[in-house]
């Protein structure tokens, strides 16, 4: 099964805004009119917590979740889906046989759902057409593609794919309420003064990953120095590296 151990806070039900948004996307797709297509897009900059948001749906529905890579082939994509579905198969089978196994399993499910993370790689390679072909055979299948900012544009290069998309949702930057939730999670026994909190929000620049990482740094510095509260000056004096900064980079090209 997909390893969620490296995602921001996968073990605890912290309802960040993007978790709520991904839940809404899933609900709209799973409960759509049967005559409507079942593709959804969830996209946004790296670090916004898209994968963490998807992990709650993954754990709730016990659905297959695959992660695209630059090295993925059509066959490895199909084998990953089968492994996630826990369907035994022979490595000697051709792609058509593997697709038949996937279709058979999805047809047997009341609410078939597939999550595809790092979908930019899969779309760029043309493998999203294979997901479309599966969807053609299992019309009630829901497939949610997760990727960076350019994902909607990448899907528009094919009308066959773009026409399958029912829900498009951009991930939101880490909000003040998200920041407070992450503070409570990572610094529950430390009081952080407003000047340090303000600096953390500036440096993290909307990234949930950077926000969590910076809270962890602050917590470690406070614990190492037996502090129950900490301000910006203290942190700068005691931390050898300071807060991590999110570089506002252009989306990756695929």
């Amino acid at each position: 099964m997909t390893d969620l151990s490296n995602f921001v806070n996968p073990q605890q039900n912290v309802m960040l805004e993007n978790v709520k948004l991904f839940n809404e996307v899933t609900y709209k797709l799973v409960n759509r009119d049967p005559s409507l297509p079942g593709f959804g897009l969830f996209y946004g900059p790296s670090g916004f917590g898209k994968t963490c948001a998807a992990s709650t749906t993954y754990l709730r529905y016990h659905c297959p979740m695959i992660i695209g890579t630059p090295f993925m082939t059509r066959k490895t994509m199909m084998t990953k889906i089968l492994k996630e579905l826990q369907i035994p198969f022979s490595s000697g089978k051709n792609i058509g046989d593997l697709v038949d196994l996937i279709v058979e399993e999805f047809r047997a499910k009341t609410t078939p759902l597939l999550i595809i993370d790092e979908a930019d790689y899969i779309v760029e390679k043309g493998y999203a057409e294979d997901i479309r072909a599966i969807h053609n055979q299992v019309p009630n299948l829901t497939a949610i593609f997760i990727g960076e900012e350019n994902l909607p544009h990448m899907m528009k290069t094919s009308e066959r794919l773009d026409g399958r998309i029912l829900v498009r949702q951009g991930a939101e930057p880490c909000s003040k309420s998200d920041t407070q939730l992450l503070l409570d999670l990572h610094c529950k026994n430390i009081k952080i003064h407003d000047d340090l909190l303000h600096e953390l929000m500036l440096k993290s620049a909307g990234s949930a990953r950077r926000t969590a990482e910076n809270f962890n740094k602050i917590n470690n510095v406070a614990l190492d120095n037996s502090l129950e509260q900490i301000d910006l000056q203290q942190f700068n004096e005691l931390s050898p590296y300071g807060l991590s900064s999110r570089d506002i980079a252009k989306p990756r090209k695929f």
Side-chain angles (χ1 to χ4, degrees), residues 41-237:
L41 301 185
F42 193 68
Y43 57 93
S46 175
F48 271 35
K50 302 184 299 295
T51 301
C52 175
S55 71
T56 60
T57 294
Y58 167 83
L59 294 170
R60 177 183 176 187
Y61 284 88
H62 304 287
C63 63
M65 179 174 174
I66 65 169
I67 301 173
T69 72
F71 317 106
M72 183 175 278
T73 66
R74 276 191 167 88
K75 188 166 185 177
T76 57
M77 182 176 75
M78 298 306 171
T79 59
K80 282 179 181 292
I81 295 173
L82 285 168
K83 287 176 181 177
E84 284 288 301
L85 289 167
Q86 300 184 12
I87 303 301
F89 63 94
S90 167
S91 59
K93 285 186 176 293
N94 61 40
I95 294 177
D97 292 333
L98 299 179
V99 170
D100 288 344
L101 290 173
I102 293 168
V103 167
E104 182 180 357
E105 180 63 18
F106 278 142
R107 281 177 174 169
K109 292 182 176 296
T110 305
T111 309
L113 174 61
L114 171 65
I115 299 173
I116 305 166
D117 198 6
E118 297 282 357
D120 319 71
Y121 292 113
I122 287 171
V123 175
E124 190 272 338
K125 289 173 176 286
Y127 302 165
E129 288 287 353
D130 300 303
I131 306 300
R132 183 185 67 83
I134 294 171
H135 181 264
N136 284 346
Q137 299 181 70
V138 191
N140 65 329
L141 172 66
T142 292
I144 305 177
F145 295 79
I146 305 169
E148 293 195 357
E149 302 97 308
N150 284 339
L151 183 61
H153 175 72
M154 295 173 71
M155 295 290 274
K156 279 188 175 293
T157 58
S158 167
E159 174 59 27
R160 292 192 299 269
L161 289 175
D162 194 54
R164 291 290 197 284
I165 302 169
L166 184 63
V167 180
R168 297 170 175 83
Q169 177 64 58
E172 296 289 338
C174 193
S175 65
K176 286 185 178 181
S177 61
D178 288 342
T179 302
Q180 184 62 51
L181 287 170
L182 292 171
L183 186 158
D184 294 340
L185 175 66
H186 295 283
C187 297
K188 61 181 68 177
N189 298 317
I190 306 297
K191 175 177 172 52
I192 299 177
H193 286 227
D194 289 344
D195 58 351
L196 179 53
L197 184 60
H198 179 70
E199 183 70 9
L200 177 145
M201 293 178 70
L202 286 177
K203 289 289 183 68
S204 301
S207 169
R209 182 185 299 131
R210 289 290 188 187
T211 300
E213 178 185 345
N214 282 326
F215 276 134
N216 184 63
K217 284 188 173 186
I218 292 170
N219 188 66
N220 288 340
V221 167
L223 291 177
D224 289 345
N225 292 277
S226 301
L227 299 175
E228 294 182 356
Q229 54 183 303
I230 187 168
D231 61 22
L232 179 59
Q233 181 178 343
Q234 287 173 302
F235 178 78
N236 286 337
E237 289 173 353

Side-chain angles (χ1 to χ4, degrees), residues 5-18:
S5 60
N6 293 322
F7 301 159
V8 175
N9 184 38
Q11 293 87 7
Q12 302 186 47
N13 187 26
V14 175
M15 290 300 290
L16 302 179
E17 290 302 317
N18 284 326

